[in-house]
Amino acid sequence: MISGIVIDAHGEKLPGVTVQINELNRGSVTDHVGHYTFPNLKSGNYTITASFIGFQKYNQRFTIKDRKPISINITLKEAVTQLNEVTVMAKSESQELHESVASVAVLETKKLYAQSNNTSDVIKQISGVNVRQTGGFGSSADVYINGMSGKQVKFFLDGIPLSYYGSGLGLNVLPVNLMEQIEVYKGVVPVDLGADALGGAINIKSRKEYINYLDASYSLGSFNTHKVNLNGQYVNSENHLIAGVNSFYNHSDNNYKVDVEIPDQFGNPEPTTVRRFHDQFTNYLVNAYAGVYDKKYADRLVFSARFSGLDDDIQHNAVMAQPYGQVTYDESTLGFSANYEKEEILPRMALKWYGGVNMTSGNFVDTTLNAYTWDGEVYDRRTDGGEISTSRNLLSLHSRNAVSRLNLHHNPWEKGQFTLNVFSSRFNRYGKDPIAAEFYGEDFYANPTTLIKNATGLAYEHAFSTALVSYTGVKHFYMMADGYAIQNMEFQPNKQTVSNFGVSQSLRYRFFRDFLAKASYEYATRLPDETELFGDFTLVRPNPFLNPEQSHNANLGFQFNTQKLKVELNTFYRLTDNIIWLRTSQFFAQYQNLLKALVKGLDVEVQYQPFDFIRLKANATYQDIRNRSSRSVTGSVDNRYYDARLPNIPYLFGNGEVRYQKSDFLGTNSRFSAWWSASYVHEFYLYWAVDGNKDLKNTIPSQFIQNIGVSYALPADRFSVSLEPTNLFDQKAFDNFSVQRPGRALYVTLRTYLH
């Protein structure tokens, strides 16, 4: 008999080693302690070999005499193999989405974490997108996507409408540190988002990293601007537990200089430059979450509790014609939610569900009898009425908002996928105003308002080949609104129910690896939301009689994508009826149904990266928006406004950026970045172009705003600092007529990231 053990060079016993006696063609495998044995051997000369993956083969001659047992212990030496270098090329998740059947632009936000950016600052860099704000930081923002604007464009956070979370989490103030990427849908809005968007939507994907980390940043800037972000997460990888906190705090005095007119001692208006005096804005969020991941019963199950809010000084009316000195609005929201995801809830079926409830309290205060000038001085005192309202207001508002989103993906066969999405929401609000009640003789605000919405979508995506992909969808929208308006001191209730269908068809064809085309058509419906129907009780009055908007939307686009060069061209066509637009006056604003409009246009974007450390990007958009309403709708005595360009909407704008980034700066493994960016908006008229003398018309002037910045980050982003001058040449900036945006400003951002 021959036996022994097999060990490595360190003396560790090796199980599973193959041991053979070549002459007898007999083999054995070492047991768990590295032992082997061959019994019943005859006398003679033999060769024993041992082989094991990762070790050199062992050979030894031995002789058996008189059938005496022999012990041979074997030591295997490690085999060192030099492998050739292998490079794996693949597209990122964002690039895969960008080249999917959807007409979507994708912006990854990780590179922006060290900068002082809000979501509205970021998305305006995307082709076809323009953002118009009514002032400085925290002011309301309207987003335009390929001719669609305002509330026609829906905003989502992980597929849930952003408006559901309350004003404290508005698009204009949401920090980029909370998000992973931003998706801008320019054509058909996929049924996954489950809302009544009218040919445009923006979806923000939040960070979902299963790692321990702490991400903190502080930004200090002009106009006493402070931005604090603190995000942290703990992951127990053994038990698959996760817990974390997302939080931010923003504040700005918005006391930038504006050019205005102030009456002199004789009451004559004199041009002068002053600082805004009553425009402070603060918002905040604390969101705590905990749950599990990668469990048998759930890929992700997370429960969240959050508290958010804002404090806002209201400086002026919609067209900056009247300053306010004491009008304020504050709001706080307490919310709870649950999020469940399972990839294989049933064979070849994935499920996602979100459910949540929010409770919001707001206070609108407009009680002073003082009348202010732009320098903050009291020049008169009224006998009645507030700065905004006829009655004066000491209004408290309370609302409840509940949502549910169910999403199912089913792949019955390899090339096809069905998607079912059901989104439901219920909004209730009531108020209390003792001052207005005394004025009207009744507290109208105590009457509750209710808005119930449901959006159901079913889609089928089919890959006929690697080149041709089709996406077909059908949607149903339901709304029940119960509200009221106060007109001429009379209470006017209204209740309406709406049911509408929508359909869509998208195609993508890849001509070759780097070149593809997309085409889509959608008949879409957008239902009015709670602010349009019920007002905000500050600057926007209610209009519960609004009808839904309908639109025929068509898109045709082309993409050319290589490692260094990316070119995208998108053309669009929209025919929209019952457009809901915000009619503004000197004292208030109100949403109304008015026009039918035809929108035609195109946007183009070019990105070029000649070297790894430098990237150039430029885009431009032209949109021609024409009136298609008859004179009976426009109120004109003739058809002079037919086919006229709609006023107060920019029609030509673009952006550019040059960014330098060196990952191994001066051989220190640190990262240095420098960038220049610019935005251009061509002049446009406040009112109809066909009316009045061209030289005397109210015009929003052409603007070319430039920004620069530099940042330096230690390895692994353990610490970074950035310096950003904005509006570098202190140009006068206007998004809306006569409403000045901030001039030159400077921001410094410090950030640490530990993981």
Side-chain angles (χ1 to χ4, degrees), residues 155-171 174 203-204 206 208 248 284-285 287 304-310 331-339 354-361 399 401-403 405 423 427 530:
F155 310 109
F156 300 86
L157 180 60
D158 292 325
I160 305 300
L162 193 60
S163 59
Y164 155 75
Y165 294 97
S167 301
L169 265 71
L171 181 78
L174 196 64
N203 184 43
I204 299 167
S206 60
K208 289 185 175 67
F248 65 78
Y284 50 86
L285 163 75
N287 176 62
S304 301
R306 65 187 167 275
F307 182 74
S308 64
L310 62 84
E331 179 180 291
S332 61
T333 300
L334 178 64
F336 304 92
S337 62
N339 186 29
Y354 177 94
V357 60
N358 278 343
M359 295 157 284
T360 300
S361 296
S399 63
N401 200 344
V403 300
R405 174 186 180 241
F423 180 85
F427 173 86
E530 57 271 16

Side-chain angles (χ1 to χ4, degrees), residues 146-199:
N146 288 166
M148 295 299 179
S149 63
K151 295 177 181 294
Q152 296 172 335
V153 178
K154 291 289 185 178
F155 310 109
F156 300 86
L157 180 60
D158 292 325
I160 305 300
L162 193 60
S163 59
Y164 155 75
Y165 294 97
S167 301
L169 265 71
L171 181 78
N172 52 336
V173 290
L174 196 64
V176 295
N177 299 65
L178 296 179
M179 56 193 74
E180 180 179 312
Q181 69 182 31
I182 301 174
E183 304 163 355
V184 179
Y185 292 89
K186 301 179 183 179
V188 171
V189 178
V191 301
D192 297 73
L193 297 182
D196 48 336
L198 205 67

